[in-house]
Amino acid sequence: MASLNPLNTNLDLRKAKHLLRRATFNYTKEQLDTFIGMSATDAVNRLTNNAPYIVTEPYDPLPTSAPDGFWTSSTEHPNTFDGQGRKRSHITAWWWHNALNQVSLKYKLSFFLHTSFTVAKDNGVGLSPFFFDHLRLLDFYALGNIKTLAKKITLDNGMLDYLDNTQNNKNNPNENYAREYLELFTILKGEQIGEGNYTNYTEVDIQQAAKVFSGFKKQWDRNGDIDPDTNLPMGYINVGQHDTNDKTFSSAFNNHVITGRDTAETIFDELDDFVEMVFNQPETAKSYCRKLYRYFVKSEISSVAETDIIEPLSQIMINNDYEILPVITTLLSSEHFYDADDSDSSDNIIGAIIKSPLQLLSEVISIFNVTYPNPETEQLYFFRNFFQWYIHGSYFKASGMPFFDPDSVAGYPAYYQEPGFDRNWFSSNTIIGRYELIQDLLTKNNIYTDLDTVLFVENKIDPDAAKDPNTLVSGIADLLFPESIDTDRINYFKTFLIEDSNDYYWTGAWLQYINTHSENDKNTVKTRLDALISALVNAAEFQLM
């Protein structure tokens, strides 16, 4: 039996690692020390803070002679600025820096919403300010209400462009957005039971939905309509291009009729009626709960998990009118999440997900306290050299995760494509990109980072224990890996410290450095620690969470 009952023991190191990895992009020893000993409920509640942005907006340091600077807050028309692709990469840099430096569920849930309401930043979302508004919309509702977001997203300028709804008119309907809204964003397809009938909706429902969405247009200058709830620019309604007739849906929606409207104000009511109709279907809540389960728990949903986890979670979602937090706090506080509801060793949850390239990057940067250029004082080095050229243009591309730019509206295959799911992150094309990350951070000068493995050991591992290569390897592995490692694995990793020598080789070198702190002695131990850390990060155990 799978159980949503709250975990009845406090978090130990193993469970704290599990929660911190799954719920945040900030993974540090200091945070682990904070969460160890807390109840699961208290720990999760601590993560639900909605802190303001650390860096409020992105910055374009180019052209160097007269930087476009904070162009997203400019009153100029969005098409005034050149380098829109570069600027969109700077927006992802801005988002990632905020996500990395806050210990909050907000950004994990924001990225979850990106996988649920997908746009591709370089393939149809339009000019960079619209992408910036789109990410802020996801952030705004990350700890809020999915149903409300499902209404707001329709007037999001980036989404209006990405799925062509700005071209959807009463006399020339475009069904692209309506189709994806049902198939991918909300209720999802069920089993096809007939021609044009997908159980949860039909082709007729797509046609009727397109009529509901007709006349919703992109606001090109961002200076027009502002959403009163989010304070973000939004699209507008062209009343003359909206289908004002009644919309009759299929038996999948109990032949529901939405009354057509003919004023801007009442057409919003028509949209509300449609969204309420879709979200009144129990299958819509189940679709989101299955997505949340695959994102936070594991890819495979057993029949037991479907009955004992998905169904009660979906009822919690319905009972709370699609507020996210009651669902996610229940899930992340549960016995099931911590694998404490059964003794089946073949059905583990801890260590059951392959890290995305985003998670891998964020963990390496945070656990090793890798320094990188400050986005507020070293904009050129942060936005261009470190992020655009290396992280965005090299690492993410090589590791198979075009950042906020999936190949299709379905999103990243790791989150939806059966049977592989997260195993899609690993392939012969992406493994080298993942494995080169740690080496690049240790050796590349042109990305302006500093990963000091000696300082890491001094600050994060008991200094006395560090002189013994066995306890040193074990101590670092306990921080990095989901589970403890056995003697054979310790002996394997130890070879990177002692090579063909005995343990006293490392002990002598470490004590020599501790006694002198000379540059030569530091270089001696650093060479060995760099090799050890590289091996640990690229080990199979660290690829899992």
Side-chain angles (χ1 to χ4, degrees):
M1 177 178 178
S3 171
L4 282 175
N5 292 333
L7 184 73
N8 60 10
T9 59
N10 290 342
L11 301 184
D12 55 13
L13 175 61
R14 177 173 179 262
K15 293 181 175 66
K17 288 188 293 185
H18 180 58
L19 174 63
L20 203 59
R21 280 192 165 107
R22 298 290 180 92
T24 82
F25 291 113
N26 183 295
Y27 182 79
T28 67
K29 184 179 185 300
E30 291 73 20
Q31 291 304 324
L32 288 173
D33 290 343
T34 297
F35 281 89
I36 291 171
M38 296 179 68
S39 72
T41 301
D42 287 346
V44 173
N45 287 337
R46 189 185 180 100
L47 294 173
T48 59
N49 59 300
N50 189 11
Y53 292 123
I54 296 171
V55 176
T56 55
E57 59 183 312
Y59 184 93
D60 189 355
L62 297 179
T64 53
S65 57
D68 287 337
F70 299 110
W71 85 99
T72 57
S73 58
S74 171
T75 57
E76 297 289 332
H77 194 286
N79 66 8
T80 301
F81 300 98
D82 295 329
Q84 291 293 327
R86 177 184 76 241
K87 286 176 165 61
R88 286 190 292 267
S89 77
H90 293 345
I91 291 168
T92 64
W94 159 84
W95 186 92
W96 174 80
H97 176 78
N98 281 292
L100 181 73
N101 288 284
Q102 297 206 41
V103 188
S104 173
L105 264 163
K106 176 180 177 178
Y107 293 97
K108 268 295 173 76
L109 283 167
S110 180
F111 199 79
F112 166 77
L113 293 175
H114 165 61
T115 70
S116 300
F117 297 91
T118 303
V119 303
K121 69 174 176 57
D122 293 323
N123 189 25
V125 78
L127 299 170
S128 57
F130 301 122
F131 175 58
F132 178 59
D133 296 338
H134 177 80
L135 289 194
R136 289 191 295 163
L137 181 65
L138 299 186
D139 288 348
F140 187 91
Y141 285 103
L143 300 172
N145 192 287
I146 291 181
K147 182 168 68 174
T148 304
L149 173 61
K151 295 175 183 179
K152 302 289 188 181
I153 202 78
T154 301
L155 271 296
D156 173 65
N157 284 307
M159 183 65 78
L160 282 164
D161 224 16
Y162 179 61
L163 288 179
D164 309 317
N165 201 72
T166 197
Q167 301 169 23
N168 178 20
N169 305 320
K170 64 180 181 181
N171 296 323
N172 186 24
N174 187 307
E175 298 175 359
N176 197 16
Y177 178 62
R179 182 175 301 279
E180 307 303 6
Y181 192 92
L182 294 174
E183 181 178 340
L184 299 175
F185 294 173
T186 57
I187 196 168
L188 310 189
K189 271 187 177 181
E191 180 182 354
Q192 185 161 351
I193 57 177
E195 183 68 27
N197 188 337
Y198 314 109
T199 304
N200 295 337
Y201 62 89
T202 70
E203 286 292 323
V204 169
D205 298 318
I206 292 172
Q207 295 162 11
Q208 297 303 301
K211 293 177 181 179
V212 172
F213 295 139
S214 62
F216 289 79
K217 301 295 180 181
K218 180 175 181 176
Q219 184 71 261
W220 281 93
D221 63 6
R222 293 174 78 225
N223 294 322
D225 295 337
I226 300 296
D227 184 271
D229 298 321
T230 64
N231 202 36
L232 293 172
M234 58 183 284
Y236 69 99
I237 296 172
N238 185 320
V239 177
Q241 295 186 1
H242 178 72
D243 190 319
T244 59
N245 295 312
D246 292 351
K247 289 83 178 174
T248 302
F249 291 82
S250 74
S251 59
F253 294 101
N254 300 313
N255 304 113
H256 185 78
V257 177
I258 292 179
T259 304
R261 273 80 154 196
D262 59 5
T263 67
E265 212 171 75
T266 57
I267 290 169
F268 277 114
D269 295 333
E270 193 175 324
L271 172 63
D272 284 352
D273 289 349
F274 171 75
V275 174
E276 292 291 339
M277 179 191 75
V278 173
F279 279 73
N280 281 339
Q281 303 300 307
E283 193 57 38
T284 300
K286 289 180 182 178
S287 76
Y288 284 117
C289 289
R290 292 185 190 110
K291 285 183 177 182
L292 284 165
Y293 187 92
R294 290 190 171 110
Y295 186 82
F296 283 102
V297 184
K298 64 185 304 185
S299 297
E300 297 79 15
I301 303 176
S302 68
S303 58
V304 172
E306 178 71 26
T307 301
D308 295 345
I309 305 297
I310 302 301
E311 290 184 9
L313 278 181
S314 66
Q315 193 58 54
I316 291 171
M317 183 170 277
I318 291 168
N319 292 346
N320 287 276
D321 198 27
Y322 286 87
E323 289 290 329
I324 298 174
L325 283 183
V327 176
I328 200 65
T329 54
T330 298
L331 180 61
L332 299 187
S333 303
S334 69
E335 291 178 329
H336 184 68
F337 178 71
Y338 294 98
D339 217 359
D341 55 357
D342 66 55
S343 57
D344 184 357
S345 60
S346 66
D347 187 31
N348 290 334
I349 288 171
I350 295 178
I353 293 180
I354 295 174
K355 293 171 187 171
S356 70
L358 171 59
Q359 183 68 28
L360 184 68
L361 167 71
S362 302
E363 277 193 32
V364 169
I365 295 286
S366 55
I367 190 64
F368 294 112
N369 195 29
V370 177
T371 61
Y372 56 82
N374 187 317
E376 295 183 282
T377 60
E378 302 171 286
Q379 293 99 334
L380 184 69
Y381 293 144
F382 172 75
F383 286 102
R384 186 191 68 176
N385 294 62
F386 170 65
F387 205 90
Q388 184 195 355
W389 287 357
Y390 177 64
I391 299 300
H392 181 272
S394 178
Y395 167 70
F396 275 132
K397 185 177 294 186
S399 59
M401 189 181 196
F403 197 32
F404 282 107
D405 195 38
D407 292 335
S408 76
V409 67
Y412 307 97
Y415 298 116
Y416 73 86
Q417 193 170 88
E418 299 183 65
F421 290 110
D422 52 296
R423 290 186 289 277
N424 283 295
W425 291 129
F426 257 101
S427 73
S428 57
N429 294 325
T430 62
I431 191 170
I432 298 301
R434 293 174 72 100
Y435 285 175
E436 285 183 340
L437 171 64
I438 185 65
Q439 198 61 34
D440 289 344
L441 293 175
L442 284 168
T443 62
K444 281 194 173 182
N445 294 323
N446 63 341
I447 60 177
Y448 298 93
T449 59
D450 182 28
L451 198 175
D452 191 328
T453 54
V454 180
L455 194 62
F456 166 75
V457 170
E458 286 190 274
N459 291 340
K460 314 300 182 184
I461 305 297
D462 182 340
D464 191 54
K467 67 184 180 183
D468 182 339
N470 299 284
T471 57
L472 176 58
V473 168
S474 178
I476 300 176
D478 279 345
L479 285 178
L480 300 188
F481 297 165
E483 306 283 10
S484 297
I485 57 176
D486 60 23
T487 302
D488 286 344
R489 288 298 274 167
I490 290 174
N491 287 335
Y492 166 73
F493 289 118
K494 186 173 65 173
T495 61
F496 292 93
L497 289 176
I498 66 173
E499 295 184 317
D500 296 327
S501 303
N502 295 317
D503 289 2
Y504 62 76
Y505 166 79
W506 168 258
T507 301
W510 180 254
L511 291 177
Q512 175 72 13
Y513 164 68
I514 291 298
N515 289 330
T516 67
H517 276 86
S518 74
E519 199 62 30
N520 285 339
D521 291 336
K522 180 176 181 178
N523 288 336
T524 298
V525 296
K526 186 179 186 303
T527 300
R528 302 271 49 87
L529 286 173
D530 285 359
L532 171 64
I533 295 299
S534 294
L536 288 165
V537 167
N538 287 337
E541 293 96 329
F542 188 71
Q543 305 302 310
L544 301 173
M545 67 176 187

